[in-house]
Amino acid sequence: MSTPTRTDVLVVGAGPAGSAAAAWAARAGLDTVLVDAAVFPRDKTCGDGLTPRAIGELQRLGLEDWLRAHAVNQGLRAHGFGQTLLLRWPGGSLPDWGSAVARTELDDHLRTTAIKAGATAVDGVRAVDVRMDGGRVAAVVLQGAEERFEIACERLVVADGVRSPLGKRLGREWHRDTVYAVAGRTYVDSTMSDDPWISSHLELRDEAGQILSGYGWVFPLGNGSVNLGAGTLATAKRPAEVAIKPLMQVYADTIRDDFGLAEELRAPTSALLPMGGAVSRVAGRNWALVGDAAALVNPLNGEGIDYGLESGRLVVDTMLAHDDLARSWPALLSEHYGEAFSIARRLAGLVTVPGVLRALGPAGMRSDWLMTLALRWMGNLVTDDDRDRAARVWRWAGRRSLARDARPPFA
């Protein structure tokens, strides 16, 4: 099939955010083209975990039955400072279960969902530039294996990941004064592959036994293996000085007996993660950044799939309601995520201060009540519909934090 030369909506990047945007745009009756530099299926550095918020978005896309054929978990097993707590997903306005699907499979299935909705997919082409006309993006310049060509578009969705090369061409800037993460993951055969709990180790130590400002995780995949990873938090003032891949080996060796882990760590990869909306210039008159490109990553747990899926849906709603995205999209992101991101990155930044985690961690892990609250807050499990006390406290703290920000999220 020949590559289209013009479309209503062009989506660059076929991860969860891009594929969700393409699916919703096509379902809205818009001519939609979804392009990606990779040829699918392809791998992606990620923890592969799907929180209840992500599950809710996948349900909206009609994928619940497909998801339930994969690993299903009922909550978080938190380890640290001599304690182990079982914390169930709280439910409420969100589903009460989670999952984990390798991104090789998840992203391929989401892309297929967009194609079934009517989007045209073109892979193996890299977006290298834009052609502007009167302040609007008129076309995106794409580089294939043998030729360079353009696809003209009325609207552009930029979903090209944490580095966002196309976003940079459009003026996107990442600000490292707030917290960011360096994280890695690997796959390991495990006797706990069918464990109904995901696990997080909040007392992550390096080879010398020093506590790090980060966490480790084990997410069962239900296929004989687990996704094992580790991440550390950092800021421009306190940059990460840890080699992630060796740290994953130390972490795996530490918990090997408890999780029945094999010796071999397969396909270890690492990535740098902008978080908490720490980017500016997220939209222009007819284009918008979504997902990781807009730093839609939770500063407290590194989760980004739920925000990607959610922003893919919301950007289409915004396109249908507003002609000019330059104001409407940043305003929506700020309204929807600003308070939560502000307080989350402030709290995550505290963890990077030497001694804070060592001092506060033991007290937190001794309280089931406090850790249950932390799971809900850290896991992005407070929605706009929630009216209970925990939700009100979280939103109150977010408003106070936002008022003190020198650079608010997305500013």
Side-chain angles (χ1 to χ4, degrees), residues 199-274:
S199 289
S200 180
H201 291 80
L202 307 179
E203 185 184 357
L204 183 65
R205 295 179 180 269
D206 62 16
E207 193 170 10
Q210 297 298 311
I211 295 179
L212 302 176
S213 58
Y215 43 83
W217 68 79
V218 179
F219 293 165
L221 295 172
N223 61 1
S225 65
V226 296
N227 180 309
L228 178 146
T232 61
L233 299 169
T235 64
K237 292 182 180 179
R238 292 180 287 274
E241 298 179 349
V242 175
I244 288 295
K245 292 182 181 179
L247 176 61
M248 287 192 292
Q249 184 66 62
V250 171
Y251 175 49
D253 292 342
T254 302
I255 65 172
R256 176 164 282 109
D257 292 342
D258 292 336
F259 287 85
L261 302 179
E263 292 287 338
E264 181 187 6
L265 305 186
R266 303 192 309 275
T269 61
S270 60
L272 196 66
L273 293 177

Side-chain angles (χ1 to χ4, degrees), residues 162-174:
V162 292
R163 297 185 183 276
S164 191
L166 189 61
K168 289 179 182 178
R169 297 291 297 178
L170 291 163
R172 178 230 198 213
E173 184 178 358
W174 171 28

Side-chain angles (χ1 to χ4, degrees), residues 368-409:
D368 283 35
W369 173 79
L370 185 59
M371 288 303 295
T372 298
L373 280 179
L375 172 66
R376 188 171 175 200
W377 291 341
M378 293 171 63
N380 186 33
L381 302 179
V382 176
T383 73
D384 295 339
D385 296 329
D386 293 331
R387 296 290 183 269
D388 59 280
R389 181 177 297 176
R392 294 198 304 271
V393 168
W394 184 243
R395 284 193 285 265
W396 174 86
R399 289 192 297 272
R400 298 302 183 275
S401 176
L402 194 60
R404 296 179 58 190
D405 278 343
R407 186 191 299 278

Side-chain angles (χ1 to χ4, degrees), residues 179 341-351 401-402 404-405:
V179 69
F341 275 176
S342 176
I343 185 62
R345 67 190 192 184
R346 195 176 299 278
L347 293 174
L350 285 175
V351 176
S401 176
L402 194 60
R404 296 179 58 190
D405 278 343

